[in-house]
Amino acid sequence: MTRPNIPFIDLATQQKRIRDKVDAAVTKVLNHGQYILGPEVTQLEKEMAAFSGVKHAIACSNGTDALTLCLMAKNVGPGDVVVCPSFTFASTAEVVAQLGATPFFVDIDEDSYNLDPAKLKAALSEAKTAGKKVVGVISVDLFGQPADYDAIEPIVRDAGVWLLCDAAQGYGGVYKGRNVGTIGDFTTTSFFPAKPLGCYGDGGAIYTDDDATADLLRSLLFHGKGSDRYDNVRIGMNGRLDTIQAAILIEKLAIFPEEIVSRNAVAERYHNGLSNIVKTPRIAEGSTSVWAQYVVRAPGKDRQAILNHLTAAGVPTAVYYPKPLHQQTAYKNFPQASAGLPVSEAVAQDVFALPMHPYLDEETQRYIIEQVIEAVRAA
Ligand SMILES: *Cc1c(COP(=O)(O)O)cnc(C)c1O
């Protein structure tokens, strides 16, 4: 067999499917010319709010700014401590440090890769005893699976702090009957092209049920505007979503529910083909993942040998994440729970991600599964 050309994420097939609609939608924006906060932005916000069953969806510039805007809405600044996981994309902690506050790293649960509620609880009480001014918790729905909110919410509530859900990878998921977007004080997402719901550039959104918070966020993302556009009432930022990206996202959102079903079918096929050779992901009972990544582990095996074998067989892979934040140069001096982060450190050594997108056909997937089995056996 010739070496197949398998994409890690296939955005081209999706584009082919909706290209006519996207062309028409972009042309419409070019014709009306409202490139900033045009009607498509409002339409997208309404459709996202309806899709998630949340009162307000606020489109913004990207997933990182979405997090920053939430922290700004909570007046986070120097002296404040925000608890977050370390096994995540840099933005989760970057936004905290960017505002002069301190990220405080807590370990994850080995099965879900999300914040470990027991460790979160211990860290919050430890921080309190140490006199740290913890103001909030950022949880992450890593790889598309919602964190364990039934356990996390009461812990956060008892600590008297806010909960921000970073659903850059988890938007579209469901946690025990509750849509991602409706959980916590607010939820953010990213429309970076490779995310489960992506645009053709940068984009993001914030979801909240609170009217006053929504107003505040809309002001913050527009330079702190007041009701009079030229009397800015607070320090904000330029955090708007382009109208063209909103127009594209309207077409992508229309097929997103179907794509989530397809992603779950792909995940199920991987699980059936691979669960006795690698550690496949486990999704909590009653929850739905949107499978931003399909991440497996082969503990005790030589990961690099597995990846080399797969590369040679034409199967693309990626490692999310080879180094947790608390071990990275820019973040290693920030505080961490005194119990350390052994799970984050261990999984970083043996995780790897397989091709995952809604258009992965069964024959190609069979080939990928065969190659993974061979690669792991040989490693
Ligand atoms: C992608 C991502 C972000 C940042 O989103 P951008 O739109 O790229 O700024 C934040 N958090 C997590 C967990 C992510 O995966």
Side-chain angles (χ1 to χ4, degrees):
M1 174 164 180
T2 52
R3 198 169 167 276
N5 185 20
I6 301 170
F8 186 68
I9 292 179
D10 184 1
L11 292 174
T13 299
Q14 184 203 50
Q15 191 191 94
K16 222 178 280 164
R17 179 175 171 198
I18 56 169
R19 181 61 188 257
D20 289 355
K21 289 184 170 147
V22 168
D23 280 343
V26 170
T27 301
K28 202 171 150 205
V29 177
L30 298 185
N31 289 342
H32 69 51
Q34 295 180 59
Y35 308 123
I36 301 293
L37 297 188
E40 285 81 359
V41 176
T42 312
Q43 185 189 337
L44 173 69
E45 288 179 337
K46 284 198 178 122
E47 291 184 9
M48 286 190 304
F51 172 78
S52 302
V54 67
K55 201 156 174 202
H56 303 280
I58 297 140
C60 69
S61 37
N62 58 67
T64 307
D65 288 349
L67 291 165
T68 298
L69 285 160
C70 293
L71 299 187
M72 288 169 80
K74 290 291 185 189
N75 279 314
V76 172
D80 292 340
V81 173
V82 176
V83 174
C84 66
S86 168
F87 192 69
T88 175
F89 185 68
S91 299
T92 309
E94 181 186 35
V95 292
V96 176
Q98 184 69 247
L99 290 172
T102 303
F104 184 73
F105 294 117
V106 171
D107 211 2
I108 52 164
D109 165 68
E110 189 161 359
D111 286 329
S112 67
Y113 303 105
N114 287 328
L115 267 184
D116 181 324
K119 289 177 180 169
L120 172 65
K121 188 173 180 180
L124 284 168
S125 95
E126 174 189 334
K128 191 172 174 189
T129 309
K132 284 187 165 70
K133 191 184 159 206
V134 176
V135 294
V137 173
I138 305 179
S139 62
V140 178
D141 300 338
L142 205 70
F143 305 144
Q145 165 161 224
D148 186 3
Y149 290 109
D150 280 353
I152 290 172
E153 282 176 317
I155 294 167
V156 172
R157 207 181 308 123
D158 288 350
V161 300
W162 44 258
L163 175 63
L164 165 53
C165 307
D166 178 353
Q169 301 182 18
Y171 183 61
V174 179
Y175 176 79
K176 301 187 180 173
R178 296 156 72 193
N179 289 334
V180 167
T182 62
I183 303 166
D185 292 74
F186 18 46
T187 299
T188 60
T189 196
S190 162
F191 303 128
F192 183 81
K195 308 284 177 172
L197 178 63
C199 59
Y200 291 149
D202 278 309
I206 307 165
Y207 307 89
T208 179
D209 277 319
D210 187 70
D211 296 343
T213 302
D215 286 346
L216 179 55
L217 290 165
R218 287 188 195 285
S219 166
L220 286 167
L221 69 76
F222 203 134
H223 306 292
K225 75 175 164 109
S227 46
D228 172 350
R229 187 163 152 199
Y230 291 100
D231 182 23
N232 293 303
V233 297
R234 57 179 62 83
I235 305 299
M237 64 191 279
N238 178 355
R240 297 172 302 243
L241 178 74
D242 293 346
T243 307
I244 287 185
Q245 297 301 342
I248 293 162
L249 280 162
I250 289 168
E251 300 308 329
K252 296 250 208 160
L253 183 62
I255 57 169
F256 191 42
E258 250 179 80
E259 290 187 337
I260 293 172
V261 172
S262 303
R263 284 175 178 277
N264 276 282
V266 171
E268 172 134 21
R269 294 201 292 263
Y270 272 141
H271 178 80
N272 293 341
L274 292 172
S275 62
N276 54 16
I277 185 101
V278 292
K279 189 176 181 299
T280 52
R282 238 186 283 162
I283 302 302
E285 185 82 30
S287 294
T288 309
S289 176
V290 291
W291 300 104
Q293 303 294 343
Y294 193 88
V295 171
V296 300
R297 298 178 64 194
K301 294 281 185 174
D302 179 347
R303 176 172 65 189
Q304 198 50 53
I306 296 171
L307 300 187
N308 291 347
H309 183 119
L310 291 171
T311 303
V315 175
T317 55
V319 175
Y320 303 112
Y321 295 91
K323 239 187 203 188
L325 293 178
H326 72 281
Q327 294 182 321
Q328 294 184 19
T329 308
Y331 295 94
K332 62 174 190 258
N333 293 324
F334 288 118
Q336 48 175 276
S338 63
L341 291 95
V343 177
S344 300
E345 290 169 16
V347 300
Q349 297 303 310
D350 56 28
V351 284
F352 58 100
L354 300 175
M356 166 52 83
H357 59 82
Y359 304 96
L360 186 53
D361 65 88
E362 288 189 46
E363 191 192 331
T364 306
Q365 203 179 352
R366 245 192 317 271
Y367 173 78
I368 295 169
I369 289 167
E370 273 167 26
Q371 292 305 316
V372 172
I373 292 169
E374 255 183 51
V376 173
R377 286 210 175 118

